[in-house]
Amino acid sequence: VAKRPATTENAMYESTRNIWGYQVPLDLLSTDTREYLSALPADRPSVQWIWREMDRIWDEMLLRPEARHDRRILFEQYYSHPVWTLNGIFTATDPESMAHRVAIAAYVATLSPAHVVDYGGGFGSLSRVLADRLPGSRVEILEPFASALGRAAVATYFNIVFSSKFGELCDVMIAQDVLEHVEQPIDLAIKMAQAVKPGGYLIFANCFWPVIKCHLPTTFYLRHCFPFVMRGLGLEFVGTIDGAAHAQVYRRQASLDLKACHVRARSAKVFGPALNFAYGAAGFLRRSLRNGAGNK
């Protein structure tokens, strides 16, 4: 892909710090962020360590009176915290995380889109892979909490742009690890579908599981019935992506049925928790039978 001229990554800024193999331009960081990053382990930790750290910051935010009484303030403070810089650096250096992004980008490339939107892709890890795969396409990062570091990560790419709200209709909309973080996931999914051209594609890589505390329990009813709700909206379920099995692909039909979608969402809130329990019980039974057979 054609890129803006730059010498070396280090030469672009007066000072950088190597964190787990990722060059972080210290010039762009606030004092608080520099101090936070200076306390990180020297070696890249496990993903479980990252999750515990994110939970620690979530709990810390909940202790603040203004955040405890106003969810909007909680989200603004939490998603603006340096822990998300940490998360972005980890994602960019973690082989499994990057393998998922490479798999998604490879699939998107087969669709030959002219315009791709990466919703919530603020650090640009996925968008950079997309831009390399699709040098003639426009890759738009729609990020409500864009950071200077995220912008710097994609600064050399001519075909990556940032935006803070939906604009012209796109060919492909990607939401990776987004819907489990919002209180009204179906409403946001509808807005995403409305921002895609008829015949275009949406890719939802959801995690409706209590992996970390900012995965909101009010979204977990969608764990096994998200496709059921989306088909009611008027999205055709195409399948999942090889190498990123949690990424579900949908094709938008000519019209969207918001009423049917909301009816299905209300139904899912009733039977979704029971379905979660049934799947969990079935999985436990399978594991027990497998372990029992192995002990004979």
Side-chain angles (χ1 to χ4, degrees), residues 5-262:
T7 52
T8 65
E9 192 172 12
N10 285 348
M12 293 175 64
Y13 303 97
E14 292 182 2
S15 60
T16 63
R17 181 185 171 196
N18 186 315
I19 299 180
W20 310 330
Y22 190 92
Q23 296 295 334
V24 178
L26 298 179
D27 312 47
L28 301 179
L29 303 181
S30 67
T31 301
D32 289 345
T33 302
R34 289 192 190 195
E35 291 179 354
Y36 178 80
L37 295 180
S38 69
L40 295 179
D43 297 324
R44 182 166 52 83
S46 67
V47 67
Q48 288 78 16
W49 187 95
I50 299 294
W51 291 340
R52 288 194 297 270
E53 178 64 7
M54 296 174 78
D55 283 349
R56 184 183 71 82
I57 300 303
W58 177 265
D59 290 338
E60 181 182 292
M61 294 293 142
L62 284 174
L63 292 176
R64 299 180 179 181
E66 70 277 13
R68 187 168 62 249
H69 298 297
D70 190 326
R71 300 286 283 184
R72 180 184 56 82
I73 294 177
L74 170 63
F75 294 147
E76 287 180 358
Q77 292 184 349
Y78 181 65
Y79 291 108
S80 299
H81 190 276
V83 74
W84 287 96
T85 298
L86 159 68
N87 183 70
I89 295 170
F90 179 83
T91 296
T93 58
D94 177 58
E96 183 177 4
S97 298
M98 287 309 300
H100 290 161
R101 284 154 177 78
V102 169
I104 291 172
Y107 179 85
V108 172
T110 67
L111 305 176
S112 301
H115 179 195
V116 181
V117 173
D118 178 11
Y119 190 99
F123 207 74
S125 296
L126 173 59
S127 291
R128 292 195 297 274
V129 183
L130 287 166
D132 286 332
R133 288 272 187 169
L134 298 163
S137 303
R138 180 188 182 200
V139 178
E140 178 182 352
I141 300 176
L142 202 167
E143 176 54 68
F145 300 98
S147 66
L149 193 57
R151 294 180 184 277
V154 302
T156 59
Y157 286 83
F158 281 113
N159 58 334
I160 297 180
V161 297
F162 266 91
S163 64
S164 59
K165 59 183 179 180
F166 293 107
E168 62 185 69
L169 299 185
C170 65
D171 301 296
V172 177
M173 173 77 66
I174 305 170
Q176 181 173 241
D177 299 324
V178 171
L179 295 184
E180 61 268 25
H181 293 269
V182 301
E183 294 187 302
Q184 301 296 334
I186 297 304
D187 289 347
L188 180 54
I190 289 173
K191 290 180 180 178
M192 291 178 179
Q194 291 172 329
V196 175
K197 298 175 183 177
Y201 292 83
L202 295 100
I203 298 174
F204 293 105
N206 305 315
C207 182
F208 298 121
W209 293 81
V211 175
I212 48 179
K213 292 181 179 180
C214 59
H215 287 187
L216 303 182
T218 52
T219 69
F220 294 168
Y221 74 95
L222 293 168
R223 185 177 303 161
H224 298 291
C225 53
F226 184 74
F228 166 77
V229 179
M230 291 297 98
R231 285 195 292 266
L233 178 60
L235 302 183
E236 174 193 357
F237 178 65
V238 177
T240 59
I241 294 177
D242 290 340
H246 65 303
Q248 301 175 359
V249 182
Y250 297 83
R251 189 168 187 265
R252 185 194 155 162
Q253 305 303 301
S255 61
L256 299 174
D257 192 335
L258 274 61
K259 181 178 179 180
C261 178
H262 285 300

